[in-house]
PDB file of all heavy atoms in Angstrom:
ATOM      1  N   GLN A  78     -10.456  12.397   0.814  1.00 94.00           N
ATOM      2  CA  GLN A  78     -10.138  13.714   0.255  1.00 94.00           C
ATOM      3  C   GLN A  78     -11.344  14.654   0.277  1.00 94.00           C
ATOM      4  O   GLN A  78     -11.213  15.832   0.590  1.00 94.00           O
ATOM      5  CB  GLN A  78      -9.652  13.575  -1.198  1.00 94.00           C
ATOM      6  CG  GLN A  78      -8.389  12.744  -1.352  1.00 94.00           C
ATOM      7  CD  GLN A  78      -7.206  13.353  -0.627  1.00 94.00           C
ATOM      8  OE1 GLN A  78      -6.938  14.539  -0.731  1.00 94.00           O
ATOM      9  NE2 GLN A  78      -6.494  12.534   0.138  1.00 94.00           N
ATOM     10  N   THR A  79     -12.529  14.113  -0.047  1.00 94.00           N
ATOM     11  CA  THR A  79     -13.709  14.969  -0.233  1.00 94.00           C
ATOM     12  C   THR A  79     -14.759  14.816   0.859  1.00 94.00           C
ATOM     13  O   THR A  79     -15.634  15.674   0.992  1.00 94.00           O
ATOM     14  CB  THR A  79     -14.386  14.635  -1.570  1.00 94.00           C
ATOM     15  OG1 THR A  79     -14.931  13.302  -1.486  1.00 94.00           O
ATOM     16  CG2 THR A  79     -13.410  14.714  -2.725  1.00 94.00           C
ATOM     17  N   GLY A  80     -14.708  13.713   1.617  1.00 94.00           N
ATOM     18  CA  GLY A  80     -15.748  13.450   2.609  1.00 94.00           C
ATOM     19  C   GLY A  80     -16.994  12.827   2.019  1.00 94.00           C
ATOM     20  O   GLY A  80     -17.973  12.580   2.734  1.00 94.00           O
ATOM     21  N   ALA A  81     -16.976  12.534   0.711  1.00 94.00           N
ATOM     22  CA  ALA A  81     -18.157  11.928   0.074  1.00 94.00           C
ATOM     23  C   ALA A  81     -18.410  10.533   0.643  1.00 94.00           C
ATOM     24  O   ALA A  81     -17.482   9.774   0.918  1.00 94.00           O
ATOM     25  CB  ALA A  81     -17.941  11.845  -1.433  1.00 94.00           C
ATOM     26  N   PHE A  82     -19.680  10.182   0.808  1.00 94.00           N
ATOM     27  CA  PHE A  82     -20.074   8.894   1.379  1.00 94.00           C
ATOM     28  C   PHE A  82     -19.774   7.768   0.390  1.00 94.00           C
ATOM     29  O   PHE A  82     -20.148   7.835  -0.779  1.00 94.00           O
ATOM     30  CB  PHE A  82     -21.569   8.924   1.704  1.00 94.00           C
ATOM     31  CG  PHE A  82     -22.087   7.667   2.334  1.00 94.00           C
ATOM     32  CD1 PHE A  82     -21.570   7.199   3.529  1.00 94.00           C
ATOM     33  CD2 PHE A  82     -23.119   6.960   1.737  1.00 94.00           C
ATOM     34  CE1 PHE A  82     -22.074   6.042   4.112  1.00 94.00           C
ATOM     35  CE2 PHE A  82     -23.627   5.808   2.313  1.00 94.00           C
ATOM     36  CZ  PHE A  82     -23.100   5.350   3.506  1.00 94.00           C
ATOM     37  N   LEU A  83     -19.084   6.728   0.886  1.00 96.00           N
ATOM     38  CA  LEU A  83     -18.722   5.594   0.022  1.00 96.00           C
ATOM     39  C   LEU A  83     -19.465   4.317   0.401  1.00 96.00           C
ATOM     40  O   LEU A  83     -19.213   3.263  -0.171  1.00 96.00           O
ATOM     41  CB  LEU A  83     -17.208   5.344   0.087  1.00 96.00           C
ATOM     42  CG  LEU A  83     -16.312   6.492  -0.396  1.00 96.00           C
ATOM     43  CD1 LEU A  83     -14.845   6.126  -0.221  1.00 96.00           C
ATOM     44  CD2 LEU A  83     -16.610   6.839  -1.844  1.00 96.00           C
ATOM     45  N   GLY A  84     -20.363   4.401   1.373  1.00 95.00           N
ATOM     46  CA  GLY A  84     -21.156   3.230   1.730  1.00 95.00           C
ATOM     47  C   GLY A  84     -20.880   2.715   3.132  1.00 95.00           C
ATOM     48  O   GLY A  84     -20.018   3.210   3.847  1.00 95.00           O
ATOM     49  N   GLU A  85     -21.638   1.691   3.509  1.00 95.00           N
ATOM     50  CA  GLU A  85     -21.446   1.028   4.800  1.00 95.00           C
ATOM     51  C   GLU A  85     -20.327   0.001   4.638  1.00 95.00           C
ATOM     52  O   GLU A  85     -20.459  -0.920   3.833  1.00 95.00           O
ATOM     53  CB  GLU A  85     -22.707   0.274   5.213  1.00 95.00           C
ATOM     54  CG  GLU A  85     -23.818   1.085   5.799  1.00 95.00           C
ATOM     55  CD  GLU A  85     -24.984   0.184   6.210  1.00 95.00           C
ATOM     56  OE1 GLU A  85     -25.683  -0.319   5.317  1.00 95.00           O
ATOM     57  OE2 GLU A  85     -25.186  -0.023   7.414  1.00 95.00           O
ATOM     58  N   LEU A  86     -19.267   0.142   5.384  1.00 97.00           N
ATOM     59  CA  LEU A  86     -18.244  -0.909   5.380  1.00 97.00           C
ATOM     60  C   LEU A  86     -18.770  -2.113   6.167  1.00 97.00           C
ATOM     61  O   LEU A  86     -18.715  -3.251   5.695  1.00 97.00           O
ATOM     62  CB  LEU A  86     -16.933  -0.403   5.994  1.00 97.00           C
ATOM     63  CG  LEU A  86     -15.846  -1.464   6.133  1.00 97.00           C
ATOM     64  CD1 LEU A  86     -15.377  -1.952   4.761  1.00 97.00           C
ATOM     65  CD2 LEU A  86     -14.664  -0.955   6.945  1.00 97.00           C
ATOM     66  N   VAL A  87     -19.275  -1.854   7.366  1.00 96.00           N
ATOM     67  CA  VAL A  87     -19.948  -2.895   8.156  1.00 96.00           C
ATOM     68  C   VAL A  87     -21.418  -2.500   8.221  1.00 96.00           C
ATOM     69  O   VAL A  87     -21.748  -1.421   8.725  1.00 96.00           O
ATOM     70  CB  VAL A  87     -19.356  -2.993   9.570  1.00 96.00           C
ATOM     71  CG1 VAL A  87     -20.149  -3.993  10.410  1.00 96.00           C
ATOM     72  CG2 VAL A  87     -17.886  -3.387   9.509  1.00 96.00           C
ATOM     73  N   GLN A  88     -22.282  -3.345   7.690  1.00 95.00           N
ATOM     74  CA  GLN A  88     -23.699  -3.010   7.607  1.00 95.00           C
ATOM     75  C   GLN A  88     -24.417  -3.316   8.921  1.00 95.00           C
ATOM     76  O   GLN A  88     -24.129  -4.319   9.576  1.00 95.00           O
ATOM     77  CB  GLN A  88     -24.342  -3.781   6.459  1.00 95.00           C
ATOM     78  CG  GLN A  88     -23.712  -3.441   5.114  1.00 95.00           C
ATOM     79  CD  GLN A  88     -24.342  -4.204   3.965  1.00 95.00           C
ATOM     80  OE1 GLN A  88     -25.263  -4.988   4.160  1.00 95.00           O
ATOM     81  NE2 GLN A  88     -23.830  -3.976   2.763  1.00 95.00           N
ATOM     82  N   SER A  89     -25.372  -2.449   9.271  1.00 94.00           N
ATOM     83  CA  SER A  89     -26.069  -2.607  10.549  1.00 94.00           C
ATOM     84  C   SER A  89     -26.958  -3.848  10.583  1.00 94.00           C
ATOM     85  O   SER A  89     -27.303  -4.334  11.650  1.00 94.00           O
ATOM     86  CB  SER A  89     -26.900  -1.358  10.852  1.00 94.00           C
ATOM     87  OG  SER A  89     -27.809  -1.102   9.814  1.00 94.00           O
ATOM     88  N   ASN A  90     -27.311  -4.370   9.407  1.00 94.00           N
ATOM     89  CA  ASN A  90     -28.162  -5.571   9.385  1.00 94.00           C
ATOM     90  C   ASN A  90     -27.375  -6.829   9.024  1.00 94.00           C
ATOM     91  O   ASN A  90     -27.948  -7.885   8.791  1.00 94.00           O
ATOM     92  CB  ASN A  90     -29.326  -5.383   8.409  1.00 94.00           C
ATOM     93  CG  ASN A  90     -28.850  -5.148   6.981  1.00 94.00           C
ATOM     94  OD1 ASN A  90     -27.655  -5.066   6.739  1.00 94.00           O
ATOM     95  ND2 ASN A  90     -29.787  -5.046   6.043  1.00 94.00           N
ATOM     96  N   ALA A  91     -26.048  -6.733   8.981  1.00 94.00           N
ATOM     97  CA  ALA A  91     -25.215  -7.884   8.623  1.00 94.00           C
ATOM     98  C   ALA A  91     -24.908  -8.724   9.856  1.00 94.00           C
ATOM     99  O   ALA A  91     -24.968  -8.233  10.986  1.00 94.00           O
ATOM    100  CB  ALA A  91     -23.919  -7.404   7.976  1.00 94.00           C
ATOM    101  N   PRO A  92     -24.561 -10.003   9.665  1.00 92.00           N
ATOM    102  CA  PRO A  92     -24.143 -10.835  10.802  1.00 92.00           C
ATOM    103  C   PRO A  92     -22.947 -10.201  11.500  1.00 92.00           C
ATOM    104  O   PRO A  92     -22.022  -9.722  10.844  1.00 92.00           O
ATOM    105  CB  PRO A  92     -23.743 -12.161  10.146  1.00 92.00           C
ATOM    106  CG  PRO A  92     -24.415 -12.162   8.809  1.00 92.00           C
ATOM    107  CD  PRO A  92     -24.532 -10.731   8.386  1.00 92.00           C
ATOM    108  N   GLY A  93     -23.000 -10.180  12.839  1.00 95.00           N
ATOM    109  CA  GLY A  93     -21.882  -9.635  13.598  1.00 95.00           C
ATOM    110  C   GLY A  93     -21.842  -8.129  13.668  1.00 95.00           C
ATOM    111  O   GLY A  93     -20.850  -7.544  14.106  1.00 95.00           O
ATOM    112  N   ALA A  94     -22.926  -7.461  13.236  1.00 95.00           N
ATOM    113  CA  ALA A  94     -22.956  -5.990  13.322  1.00 95.00           C
ATOM    114  C   ALA A  94     -22.869  -5.560  14.784  1.00 95.00           C
ATOM    115  O   ALA A  94     -23.466  -6.189  15.657  1.00 95.00           O
ATOM    116  CB  ALA A  94     -24.236  -5.457  12.692  1.00 95.00           C
ATOM    117  N   PRO A  95     -22.132  -4.499  15.081  1.00 96.00           N
ATOM    118  CA  PRO A  95     -21.991  -4.060  16.477  1.00 96.00           C
ATOM    119  C   PRO A  95     -23.252  -3.357  16.958  1.00 96.00           C
ATOM    120  O   PRO A  95     -23.870  -2.596  16.208  1.00 96.00           O
ATOM    121  CB  PRO A  95     -20.812  -3.092  16.408  1.00 96.00           C
ATOM    122  CG  PRO A  95     -20.870  -2.527  15.019  1.00 96.00           C
ATOM    123  CD  PRO A  95     -21.400  -3.628  14.138  1.00 96.00           C
ATOM    124  N   PHE A  96     -23.624  -3.584  18.203  1.00 96.00           N
ATOM    125  CA  PHE A  96     -24.795  -2.909  18.758  1.00 96.00           C
ATOM    126  C   PHE A  96     -24.476  -1.446  19.073  1.00 96.00           C
ATOM    127  O   PHE A  96     -25.207  -0.537  18.681  1.00 96.00           O
ATOM    128  CB  PHE A  96     -25.273  -3.627  20.030  1.00 96.00           C
ATOM    129  CG  PHE A  96     -26.427  -2.927  20.693  1.00 96.00           C
ATOM    130  CD1 PHE A  96     -27.708  -3.040  20.174  1.00 96.00           C
ATOM    131  CD2 PHE A  96     -26.230  -2.130  21.816  1.00 96.00           C
ATOM    132  CE1 PHE A  96     -28.784  -2.377  20.769  1.00 96.00           C
ATOM    133  CE2 PHE A  96     -27.298  -1.471  22.414  1.00 96.00           C
ATOM    134  CZ  PHE A  96     -28.570  -1.591  21.886  1.00 96.00           C
ATOM    135  N   ALA A  97     -23.372  -1.225  19.787  1.00 96.00           N
ATOM    136  CA  ALA A  97     -23.006   0.132  20.211  1.00 96.00           C
ATOM    137  C   ALA A  97     -21.497   0.337  20.010  1.00 96.00           C
ATOM    138  O   ALA A  97     -20.732   0.357  20.968  1.00 96.00           O
ATOM    139  CB  ALA A  97     -23.381   0.367  21.665  1.00 96.00           C
ATOM    140  N   PRO A  98     -21.066   0.485  18.737  1.00 97.00           N
ATOM    141  CA  PRO A  98     -19.633   0.588  18.469  1.00 97.00           C
ATOM    142  C   PRO A  98     -19.040   1.897  18.967  1.00 97.00           C
ATOM    143  O   PRO A  98     -19.666   2.953  18.859  1.00 97.00           O
ATOM    144  CB  PRO A  98     -19.569   0.505  16.944  1.00 97.00           C
ATOM    145  CG  PRO A  98     -20.883   1.034  16.473  1.00 97.00           C
ATOM    146  CD  PRO A  98     -21.873   0.597  17.513  1.00 97.00           C
TER     147      PRO A  98
END
Side-chain angles (χ1 to χ4, degrees):
Q78 299 298 313
T79 67
F82 182 59
L83 298 178
E85 281 182 288
L86 175 66
V87 175
Q88 299 180 1
S89 57
N90 61 357
F96 177 77

